[in-house]
Amino acid sequence: MINGRLLKQYDIPLALGITHLTTAAFLLNSGEFLPSWVTSYSYFTALTSIVFCLIFNPHKGFLAGLALGFAMTVIIRAINMSLVSLHGPGVDYLLGLMGAVVGTVAVLIYSKVKPSQTIENGFALGCTGALGGYLLSMFFACNTVLYCGPAFSWGF
């Protein structure tokens, strides 16, 4: 049986594995609906967030949840681009990634104030921070300034 110290030890390799494998899979399948820059921006943002979070010694499972959250942002972007023909620089995705970083920092601060001891709580916090920040940023930007397709813009 794996104890808490081993789970903490395998959190970093799991997070890096998720990040690298999803990046490789999406880069191999890049095309019209998922350009390669989307995956590379997500990859470097996820790696930067993982290294930043390592400085603050997050709870067990936090980094794996964070990596999965950033992988989900690429999937959401690919689905949104397949629904509508968006041609342009992709400013909406960059704004969404900035929101994911802010959400990650907010959840990291919350996890330090209110500590959780289980790997499930750490995983859920990491995933919620990245995805929640991404989605909030996308909904705000796409309903005020940009048109980002039917998934985020409500008829504007």
Side-chain angles (χ1 to χ4, degrees):
M1 184 161 195
I2 298 176
N3 59 14
R5 186 174 56 177
L6 287 176
L7 287 175
K8 178 70 172 171
Q9 187 177 12
Y10 291 126
D11 191 29
I12 297 168
L14 185 62
L16 292 176
I18 291 171
T19 303
H20 286 85
L21 287 176
T22 55
T23 301
F26 286 128
L27 282 177
L28 290 174
N29 196 24
S30 64
E32 180 184 353
F33 296 132
L34 186 66
S36 60
W37 64 265
V38 170
T39 306
S40 58
Y41 282 174
S42 177
Y43 172 73
F44 289 118
T45 309
L47 280 184
T48 305
S49 297
I50 288 171
V51 170
F52 176 74
C53 289
L54 277 175
I55 295 170
F56 294 101
N57 195 16
H59 296 288
K60 298 176 278 232
F62 187 85
L63 297 176
L66 178 67
L68 185 67
F70 275 101
M72 291 299 295
T73 65
V74 178
I75 293 170
I76 292 169
R77 175 67 178 181
I79 292 171
N80 191 33
M81 285 186 74
S82 69
L83 293 175
V84 67
S85 177
L86 292 176
H87 298 289
V91 175
D92 57 340
Y93 187 67
L94 295 177
L95 290 173
L97 284 180
M98 285 189 263
V101 170
V102 170
T104 299
V105 170
V107 169
L108 184 64
I109 291 170
Y110 171 77
S111 71
K112 288 300 182 181
V113 172
K114 187 173 182 175
S116 62
Q117 299 300 323
T118 63
I119 191 167
E120 294 87 9
N121 289 343
F123 184 83
L125 282 173
C127 196
T128 302
L131 273 179
Y134 173 77
L135 291 175
L136 281 175
S137 177
M138 287 294 284
F139 281 127
F140 179 74
C142 294
N143 286 307
T144 56
V145 199
L146 303 168
Y147 176 74
C148 307
F152 295 108
S153 297
W154 293 323
F156 299 111

